[in-house]
Amino acid sequence: MAPPANRRSGFSRRAQYTTFFSYTAGVLGAVLGLGLLAISLTNHDAFGPFRTIAADVTEPAAEAGAKTRVAGKGLVATVSGFFRTGTQQARLQRELDEAKSRLVQAQAIETENRRLKALLGLRDDNPGPVTYARLTASTGGSTRRFATLGAGRDRGVVKGMPVRSATGLVGRVLEVGASTSRVLLITDTESLVPVRRARDGVPAFAQGHGDGTIRIRLVNLGINPLRKGDVMATSGSGGLYRPGTPIAVVTELLRDGAIARVISNPSDTDYVLVEKAWALAEPPPLSSEPQAK
Amino acid sequence: MALLPRFGTPASAPRINRAPSSLVAHGLPWVTIVLGSMLPSWLMIASAPVLPPLGFLIFIAWRQLRPGLLPIWAGLPLGMADDLFSGQPFGSAVLLWSVAAIVLELIEARLPWRNFLTEWLVAIGLIVAYVALCLGIANLGGGSAPVRVVLPQIIISMLFYPLSGRFVAAMDRLRLKPIVVLR
């Protein structure tokens, strides 16, 4: 196919000027884009309000999309479940028996914990979730991992609140709009969560790896104590994330850490909980003034 | 399907007493591109960049199918809309779409004859450059993702481009459907 003939300006002054000005406008657009980019790179929050307004406006469509997504997943699960009912039933029965005895143990431990905490004078302040909502959208085409949450200022969401699902940590709130908020998922490369091994408390950092897995970086270097299958949970260092929320399972060992799989895959979760940002209690004041020499 | 032309009666041919609506004819490309920018974010809560930058693909497809329809500066408003939903630092699509439009214009002026393969190759070049530069800009803005993360996205986008071209062609027929009654 040959290009349309009307794009050749020929000797017409008018056509030449039109071509010239359209190119100029294109270059101006690129220059303006460079300027906007420079502003947003130096000040990350500069265009946040526009983003939240756009998310608020498109929320109904995103919410409908989220519902369709969940329904589709449910349909697939129903059909595949039909074929696996028998073996699944047997396995679940076995697991349930096991879980029942574990539950009794856990209740005993919880009672003991409460008693010991009371002895130490610690109080267990878990105020419960702020709200629950759906993750309605995410940045599937970008290397950054942001998601949009279907709850904003209207339901008491504040910047910095951790977001979790029933199974594990999902991320934290970055920007809050009127009825939506923007969540930085834990799989983003900028997200850094202080974690510890759930079993014995080996401290580490969990950083997003960019491809949906998580990179565990140990705080203490030396012999790598991690093993495949270790569960990492938040440690609560630095505040923000409540300690003890499971986040990832180690799948591959590296020299100075590990690659871990996220426990709570946000694409599988229907609703997520928004929790209050966890703040460390102030250390008790020193009993006496430091002695002046 | 209604969008496919029936034999002997192309859908864009004016029927008696009907003409295409100028609002649809000029507005539809913009609407499809903005919807293309929004759609990948709604499809799934992705944990890796796997979805093609649909807005950009449709933008290139419109420019290749109808070179003069979208002005060269269309990257400015459309890129702004894309930046609101893409997760990139604001301004990245404004810059890259504007540059892509200019590059496409220059290539088209130098390639007198075009066919499916050359258009696809040109689009592949633009897509690879776009995804790689998006990665670079996102990393400047705080991320630290390695290049291997975007390889699946590049391949998916390259293979997806002809499909978005078909979609744009169908939209182009819809665009010129005679729906306004002449008096």
Side-chain angles (χ1 to χ4, degrees):
Chain A
M1 194 177 87
N6 62 3
R7 294 177 62 224
R8 296 179 195 133
S9 49
F11 293 109
S12 158
R13 253 313 129 98
R14 185 157 169 268
Q16 284 171 3
Y17 278 139
T18 311
T19 313
F20 173 72
F21 284 128
S22 69
Y23 272 101
T24 312
V27 172
L28 269 181
V31 170
L32 204 62
L34 201 61
L36 289 172
L37 192 58
I39 294 171
S40 64
L41 285 182
T42 47
N43 178 7
H44 288 259
D45 298 334
F47 298 100
F50 298 108
R51 273 196 295 262
T52 53
I53 289 170
D56 285 347
V57 170
T58 56
E59 199 215 346
E63 190 78 31
K67 276 178 194 155
T68 320
R69 217 159 48 215
V70 170
K73 214 161 277 161
L75 189 69
V76 171
T78 309
V79 172
S80 67
F82 184 75
F83 292 102
R84 293 187 288 118
T85 320
T87 51
Q88 204 169 30
Q89 163 78 11
R91 186 170 56 80
L92 287 178
Q93 196 67 49
R94 219 165 42 237
E95 282 181 7
L96 185 64
D97 291 343
E98 203 176 315
K100 269 181 186 160
S101 74
R102 289 274 176 88
L103 182 65
V104 175
Q105 279 177 20
Q107 275 165 349
I109 290 169
E110 199 184 336
T111 326
E112 192 186 356
N113 254 337
R114 214 178 298 131
R115 194 174 56 77
L116 291 173
K117 272 183 180 167
L119 271 178
L120 284 170
L122 289 174
R123 60 201 173 82
D124 192 15
D125 52 345
N126 188 353
V130 174
T131 182
Y132 61 92
R134 278 199 174 97
L135 288 177
T136 54
S138 83
T139 56
S142 169
T143 52
R144 303 302 307 276
R145 299 266 62 81
F146 299 110
T148 307
L149 182 76
R153 264 193 300 277
D154 56 343
R155 293 209 245 152
V157 179
V158 176
K159 189 178 168 181
M161 284 183 165
V163 178
R164 60 163 298 175
S165 71
T167 47
L169 191 67
V170 168
R172 73 182 155 95
V173 175
L174 265 194
E175 291 164 3
V176 183
S179 64
T180 59
S181 42
R182 196 169 156 85
V183 177
L184 180 75
L185 299 177
I186 50 171
T187 44
D188 186 84
T189 45
E190 204 182 4
S191 153
L192 198 63
V193 183
V195 295
R196 63 186 176 205
R197 181 154 65 176
R199 186 150 50 85
D200 55 2
V202 173
F205 284 106
Q207 190 182 12
H209 205 207
D211 56 356
T213 57
I214 284 195
R215 175 86 162 83
I216 305 283
R217 292 178 195 280
L218 291 167
V219 173
N220 301 325
L221 295 177
I223 297 169
N224 187 349
L226 296 175
R227 292 286 166 269
K228 268 187 193 173
D230 283 352
V231 176
M232 308 305 285
T234 52
S235 66
S237 318
L240 206 58
Y241 300 106
R242 186 168 297 281
T245 313
I247 165 167
V249 181
V250 172
T251 54
E252 188 186 325
L253 296 179
L254 300 176
R255 202 171 52 78
D256 61 338
I259 302 287
R261 187 173 54 79
V262 181
I263 289 179
S264 164
N265 190 349
S267 60
D268 293 340
T269 52
D270 190 359
Y271 280 95
V272 291
L273 304 173
V274 184
E275 290 181 332
K276 275 216 167 65
W278 191 72
L280 289 172
E282 288 285 312
L286 294 176
S287 53
S288 56
E289 293 284 311
Q291 298 293 317
K293 284 186 184 166
Chain B
M1 228 173 84
L3 294 177
L4 295 176
R6 249 172 262 129
F7 181 73
T9 57
S12 59
R15 272 174 270 140
I16 294 169
N17 205 23
R18 295 280 192 286
S21 149
S22 98
L23 186 70
V24 174
H26 290 100
L28 197 64
W30 302 77
V31 173
T32 50
I33 292 169
V34 172
L35 281 180
S37 296
M38 293 177 182
L39 189 66
S41 68
W42 295 339
L43 286 182
M44 59 190 284
I45 308 293
S47 53
V50 287
L51 296 173
L54 212 54
F56 183 67
L57 297 190
I58 297 178
F59 177 66
I60 307 182
W62 271 115
R63 284 215 59 102
Q64 284 196 331
L65 184 73
R66 297 270 174 209
L69 187 61
L70 288 171
I72 300 187
W73 49 264
L76 176 63
L78 291 171
M80 276 184 180
D82 186 71
D83 277 331
L84 291 177
F85 299 98
S86 71
Q88 293 285 119
F90 195 88
S92 110
V94 177
L95 171 65
L96 296 178
W97 290 29
S98 300
V99 172
I102 296 170
V103 169
L104 207 54
E105 195 77 9
L106 292 178
I107 291 174
E108 259 162 17
R110 272 155 190 72
L111 276 182
W113 295 93
R114 303 180 293 163
N115 59 25
F116 172 72
L117 200 61
T118 53
E119 293 214 325
W120 196 8
L121 284 176
V122 167
I124 283 176
L126 285 174
I127 288 167
V128 172
Y130 177 75
V131 174
L133 286 171
C134 273
L135 171 73
I137 290 172
N139 282 355
L140 276 181
S144 55
V147 177
R148 63 177 170 75
V149 167
V150 294
L151 293 182
Q153 192 192 13
I154 289 180
I155 292 170
I156 291 171
S157 310
M158 277 168 15
L159 297 178
F160 196 79
Y161 181 72
L163 269 180
S164 60
R166 293 297 298 194
F167 167 74
V168 165
M171 285 298 115
D172 194 46
R173 279 200 293 274
L174 183 68
R175 187 174 77 89
L176 297 176
K177 245 192 181 359
I179 48 172
V180 176
V181 182
L182 293 175
R183 284 173 195 282

